[in-house]
């Protein structure tokens, strides 16, 4: 709404929206100017702050705290998201197809998500293994 008020974009109901609020967006000339300005600004690096890491440090310092259930919950979430990303990849980026520059960039963004989820799964499995009783 704010971007439409600023005349950066305009939106309309998607033809297949039905009972949903799905909308189609189009960038307007003023929005293109703002996007060019914004993309030229430096961006802050990702700040990986995770309260669970503090809990894990506490486990290391004072002994077993029973973090396995939370780790299993997180593992399941990462596995679910990875499955979704892989479905999108199969649907949108089939092998052997020549992709436009735009599609290649979209694929790279998706690949970053896939790598993140794979790394999170691997790391979580390692922690679960470490916390398992001997």
């Amino acid at each position: 709404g704010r971007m439409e008020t600023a005349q950066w974009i305009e939106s309309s109901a998607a033809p297949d929206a039905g009972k949903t609020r799905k909308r189609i967006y189009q960038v307007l000339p003023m929005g293109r100017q703002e996007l060019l300005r914004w993309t030229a600004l430096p961006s802050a690096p990702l700040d990986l702050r995770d309260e669970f890491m503090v809990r894990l440090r506490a486990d290391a310092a004072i002994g077993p705290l029973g973090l396995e259930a939370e780790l299993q919950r997180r593992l399941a979430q990462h596995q679910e998201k990875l499955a979704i990303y892989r479905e999108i990849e199969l649907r949108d980026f089939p092998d052997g197809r020549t992709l436009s520059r735009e599609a290649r960039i979209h694929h790279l963004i998706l690949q970053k998500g896939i790598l993140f989820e794979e790394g999170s799964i691997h790391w979580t499995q390692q922690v679960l293994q470490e916390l398992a009783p001997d």
Side-chain angles (χ1 to χ4, degrees), residues 60-110:
I62 64 174
L65 297 175
L67 300 176
E68 294 82 2
E70 175 63 9
L71 282 162
Q72 290 290 354
R73 186 186 72 79
R74 288 172 167 237
L75 179 61
Q77 288 177 333
H78 289 300
Q79 290 168 331
E80 287 174 26
K81 191 172 273 189
L82 178 60
I84 291 167
Y85 288 168
R86 285 189 171 147
E87 286 176 17
I88 293 168
E89 186 175 41
L90 287 172
R91 182 193 69 211
D92 294 353
F93 306 103
D95 289 336
R97 195 171 105 197
T98 304
L99 300 175
S100 67
R101 178 181 184 274
E102 179 183 2
R104 288 191 312 270
I105 292 170
H106 284 269
H107 193 199
L108 287 167
I109 294 165
L110 179 61

Side-chain angles (χ1 to χ4, degrees), residues 8-87:
W8 294 347
I9 63 167
E10 66 181 7
S11 69
S12 58
D16 62 344
K19 295 180 183 180
T20 67
R21 298 186 312 179
K22 185 176 178 182
R23 304 201 53 84
I24 296 173
Y25 295 92
Q26 179 178 349
V27 178
L28 299 174
M30 287 177 61
R32 183 173 169 76
Q33 289 175 348
E34 175 57 19
L35 192 55
L36 289 170
R37 183 200 67 78
W38 178 75
T39 58
L41 297 174
S43 59
L46 178 65
D47 183 11
L48 188 58
R49 290 182 178 226
D50 185 347
E51 180 182 314
F52 186 78
M53 297 305 110
V54 177
R55 293 177 185 182
L56 192 55
R57 289 179 74 97
D59 184 280
I62 64 174
L65 297 175
L67 300 176
E68 294 82 2
E70 175 63 9
L71 282 162
Q72 290 290 354
R73 186 186 72 79
R74 288 172 167 237
L75 179 61
Q77 288 177 333
H78 289 300
Q79 290 168 331
E80 287 174 26
K81 191 172 273 189
L82 178 60
I84 291 167
Y85 288 168
R86 285 189 171 147
E87 286 176 17

